[in-house]
């Protein structure tokens, strides 16, 4: 556990030394939220105020941007030679990867607070109970952890940090073909099936229902099931990939 805490502190310090990445992870979701609310919000019918509808999707989008950076951080470690030094100090691969994931969670929580603050300033008014707040935060944390472990696995596969950076685009794209920005029933039929059954949709629907004190239904369990499955597969894959990469 002490190794994990040490590696987490190291990853957080590395993040602080690259403020451009932190700023982009904060500014991009905020700018997209402002664009959708003020440019397109008046033309999109969601049955209520558009800012109330779009904020949960933006929070998930923000989480994707932040978690995707984990792939580049892990790839930097694998290609920079620091892993050989850690292994000579008997630091386990699990500790290194868990440190990256924990740092990703810390970065994302900070980014979520900023985005939520801007959302409140432009009119977002949550109606969640105390239990609803707790559940919404839990769903978002599970989603961030799942994506961070998936990103760590991708960082172990990537041939360079630049190649790992392309994964961020993929994660950031997923909230668009979902219910994050427009109702799914307004999409073409060929896209609607994917939007209804991809993992981001139940995460967004769960957060929207919990934050606005609306029925969540089976969406909450589906969101947690997706997060648990992604995390389990990613942790197993990351462990196997790390052992393979460091045994060569």
């Amino acid at each position: 556990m002490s190794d994990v805490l040490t590696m987490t502190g190291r990853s957080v310090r590395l993040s602080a030394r690259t403020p451009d990445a932190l700023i982009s992870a904060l500014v991009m979701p905020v700018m997209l939220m402002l664009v959708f609310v003020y440019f397109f919000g008046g033309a999109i019918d969601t049955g209520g105020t558009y800012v109330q509808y779009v904020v949960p999707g933006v929070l998930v989008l923000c989480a994707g941007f932040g978690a995707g950076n984990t792939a580049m951080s892990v790839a930097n470690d694998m290609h920079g030679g620091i892993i050989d030094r850690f292994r000579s100090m008997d630091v386990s691969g699990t500790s290194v990867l868990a440190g990256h994931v924990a740092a990703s969670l810390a970065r994302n929580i900070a980014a979520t607070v900023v985005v939520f603050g801007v959302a409140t300033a432009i009119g977002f008014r949550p109606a969640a109970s105390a239990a609803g707040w707790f559940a919404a935060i839990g769903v978002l944390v599970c989603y961030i952890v799942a994506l961070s472990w998936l990103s760590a696995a991708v960082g172990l596969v990537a041939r360079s940090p630049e190649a790992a950076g392309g994964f961020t685009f993929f994660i950031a794209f997923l909230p668009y073909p979902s219910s994050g920005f427009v109702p799914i029933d307004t999409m073409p039929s060929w896209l609607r099936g994917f939007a209804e059954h991809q993992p981001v949709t139940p995460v967004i629907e769960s957060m929207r229902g919990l934050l606005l004190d609306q029925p969540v239904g089976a969406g909450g369990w589906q969101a947690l099931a997706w997060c648990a499955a992604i995390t389990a597969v990613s942790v197993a894959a990351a462990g196997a990939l790390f052992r393979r990469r460091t045994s060569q």
Side-chain angles (χ1 to χ4, degrees):
M1 189 63 186
S2 61
D3 286 348
V4 174
L5 293 175
T6 301
M7 291 298 103
T8 300
R10 167 184 174 267
S11 296
V12 170
R13 289 191 295 272
L14 289 174
S15 298
R17 293 171 186 170
T18 55
D20 53 335
L22 289 175
I23 292 174
S24 63
L26 291 173
V27 171
M28 185 63 70
V30 169
M31 291 298 295
L32 286 173
M33 178 171 60
L34 296 177
V35 166
F36 273 94
V37 170
Y38 291 114
F39 292 3
F40 307 135
I44 300 175
D45 182 15
T46 60
T49 306
Y50 186 66
V51 68
Q52 296 288 95
Y53 182 89
V54 78
V55 167
V58 173
L59 293 176
V60 172
L61 179 68
C62 178
F65 271 112
N69 289 330
T70 306
M72 290 185 287
S73 300
V74 172
N76 273 320
D77 277 358
M78 299 307 297
H79 292 272
I82 190 66
I83 296 299
D84 293 332
R85 185 172 182 181
F86 286 154
R87 286 176 62 81
S88 69
M89 300 166 62
D90 197 28
V91 176
S92 69
T94 302
S95 298
V96 176
L97 297 177
H100 280 294
V101 171
S104 172
L105 180 60
R107 290 193 303 266
N108 274 282
I109 290 175
T112 299
V113 171
V114 173
V115 172
F116 193 85
V118 175
T120 302
I122 64 174
F124 179 64
R125 296 294 180 266
S129 62
W133 277 107
F134 181 80
I137 293 171
V139 170
L140 186 61
V141 166
C142 289
Y143 180 71
I144 293 170
V145 170
L147 286 191
S148 297
W149 273 111
L150 179 60
S151 298
V154 170
L156 291 167
V157 174
R159 295 182 177 275
S160 68
E162 291 75 18
F167 182 67
T168 305
F169 171 79
F170 172 75
I171 291 181
F173 175 76
L174 277 179
Y176 292 100
S178 74
S179 61
F181 299 98
V182 297
I184 291 178
D185 57 12
T186 65
M187 297 179 181
S189 58
W190 59 267
L191 181 59
R192 197 177 305 154
F194 174 78
E196 289 176 345
H197 298 98
Q198 64 133 318
V200 175
T201 295
V203 173
I204 293 174
E205 289 294 324
S206 298
M207 291 191 59
R208 182 177 291 130
L210 292 167
L211 290 175
L212 301 181
D213 197 22
Q214 298 173 352
V216 175
W221 296 112
Q222 292 173 1
L224 293 178
W226 270 111
C227 292
I230 293 172
T231 302
V233 172
S234 300
V235 169
L241 288 167
F242 187 88
R243 289 190 297 270
R244 181 179 178 182
R245 288 288 303 273
T246 55
S247 63
Q248 295 176 350

